[in-house]
Amino acid sequence: MEIDKTHKLKNVLIIGLGGIGEAIVKVLKSENPQLNIYGLARQNKDIPFLADQFNFNLLEEAKWDNFSQTINHLQFDLIICTVGFLHNEEFKPEKKLDDMNLEHLTYSLQVNTGVHALALKYLQRHIPLNSPALFVSLTAKLGSIADNRMGGWYSYRMSKAALNMLIKNASIELGRKYKKLRLIAIHPGTTDTQLSAPYTDQTNLNVKEPKETALAIIKAIFHSPASEDEIFLNWTGEPLPW
Ligand SMILES: NC(=O)c1ccc[n+]([C@@H]2O[C@H](COP(=O)([O-])OP(=O)(O)OC[C@H]3O[C@@H](n4cnc5c(N)ncnc54)[C@H](OP(=O)(O)O)[C@@H]3O)[C@@H](O)[C@H]2O)c1
């Protein structure tokens, strides 16, 4: 599978080096060994092939400001933010309103929406003004309002819907200045990672391995059958309803 030659990728930043993030690094490097792939995560991950890895608390805004200054010299043609939260010891997806609490919702918004917003805010000066560039956020189809037929999972759904709005909004603002920048919010499809692990046997969905998902995402963002102004995409490259 070929990366779109018109993008002439040189520097790539992958934010979040979990199951899908790590697989994206490996797939990109195997497709294009010349690429400089940088990683950013809250904790150090033992991933080969990275030109450099940066680690700080992604929920601390001052750290982003500092990071942006540290990498002053770097311009990225492709940024993929994979950061996302569904469950931990304390918070599980809510089945009903009575399961909701403000801390769970706030934390979901911070991670699933806030980190992506900070990435856009502090990395915009690291995006080339006049050459093709992509900013891609991993979202979820569960964040689609139009597609919601089952309810539940309040905090995750709400924070991914907010992420989708962030990407749409930023595409309007940045589109005025960056003539060849495209922003995409992509649903990776159910993938076997620690995020989905407790829930995959409850679904009839086809569960992909991270490598398969990474390949699909790269194909979708560079060879999407959707038009250039479609923003919310499925892993197949088809547009999804907001
Ligand atoms: N897997 C699926 O079936 C599926 C389906 C739909 C959408 N998605 C989306 O795809 C993206 C990647 O998920 P994944 O499946 O690769 O899950 P994952 O392995 O759990 O990766 C999630 C990433 O988010 C990071 N993260 C979580 N909380 C954070 C925090 N407070 N601060 C900084 N980083 C934080 C994790 O960091 P650590 O590695 O340090 O924990 C990890 O890099 C997510 O946005 C998820 O919502 C996944």
Side-chain angles (χ1 to χ4, degrees):
M1 196 265 308
E2 201 173 279
I3 291 173
D4 186 347
K5 294 283 187 266
T6 60
H7 277 79
K8 295 193 179 64
L9 287 187
K10 190 171 165 226
N11 293 325
V12 173
L13 177 66
I14 308 299
I15 308 171
L17 299 168
I20 299 176
E22 177 175 359
I24 290 174
V25 171
K26 290 180 174 162
V27 164
L28 279 173
K29 196 68 183 176
S30 70
E31 295 286 322
N32 188 345
Q34 309 304 323
L35 266 188
N36 299 316
I37 307 179
Y38 297 84
L40 169 58
R42 62 177 163 178
Q43 56 192 335
N44 187 267
K45 294 290 173 94
D46 183 18
I47 300 180
F49 319 121
L50 289 176
D52 208 347
Q53 183 178 161
F54 308 94
N55 304 115
F56 60 86
N57 181 353
L58 304 184
L59 298 178
E60 269 185 57
E61 183 157 359
K63 297 269 168 64
W64 279 95
D65 197 5
N66 186 47
F67 171 62
S68 174
Q69 291 173 40
T70 311
I71 57 157
N72 199 24
H73 57 293
L74 279 173
Q75 294 273 295
F76 301 108
D77 329 284
L78 171 64
I79 298 172
I80 305 181
C81 186
T82 73
V83 170
F85 166 77
L86 176 60
H87 63 89
N88 60 16
E89 282 299 307
E90 201 179 347
F91 304 130
K92 311 289 173 216
E94 313 90 335
K95 291 193 172 136
K96 52 189 189 306
L97 282 169
D98 285 341
D99 298 336
M100 280 191 76
N101 71 69
L102 196 53
E103 276 169 71
H104 182 175
L105 174 60
T106 305
Y107 184 67
S108 302
L109 284 165
Q110 284 184 318
V111 178
N112 291 338
T113 319
V115 167
H116 296 244
L118 293 174
L120 276 164
K121 175 175 173 182
Y122 288 99
L123 295 175
Q124 52 180 310
R125 52 193 282 263
H126 299 282
I127 294 172
L129 270 177
N130 295 310
S131 55
L134 277 164
F135 183 99
V136 180
S137 276
L138 263 59
T139 183
K141 195 158 79 169
L142 288 171
S144 166
I145 293 171
D147 186 68
N148 186 356
R149 291 176 184 87
M150 287 183 58
W153 292 32
Y154 281 88
S155 295
Y156 191 70
R157 283 186 187 276
M158 291 162 77
S159 56
K160 290 293 191 180
L163 170 62
N164 292 349
M165 178 58 90
L166 165 74
I167 301 303
K168 170 72 184 178
N169 236 31
S171 76
I172 294 170
E173 178 186 336
L174 298 180
R176 298 186 187 116
K177 183 170 164 193
Y178 297 83
K179 297 301 170 210
K180 296 184 178 171
L181 171 66
R182 184 173 179 201
L183 277 77
I184 293 174
I186 192 163
H187 167 61
T190 309
T191 306
D192 185 16
T193 65
Q194 73 82 33
L195 181 139
S196 64
Y199 310 101
T200 45
D201 56 357
Q202 297 164 21
T203 69
N204 301 319
L205 297 169
N206 166 33
V207 181
K208 300 193 292 309
E209 287 304 315
K211 183 180 175 187
E212 193 185 346
T213 296
L215 277 164
I217 289 171
I218 302 303
K219 186 173 176 202
I221 63 179
F222 289 113
H223 303 280
S224 167
S227 69
E228 277 280 308
D229 53 0
E230 295 284 2
I231 288 170
F232 185 22
L233 300 182
N234 200 2
W235 59 274
T236 55
E238 307 286 339
L240 284 170
W242 294 110

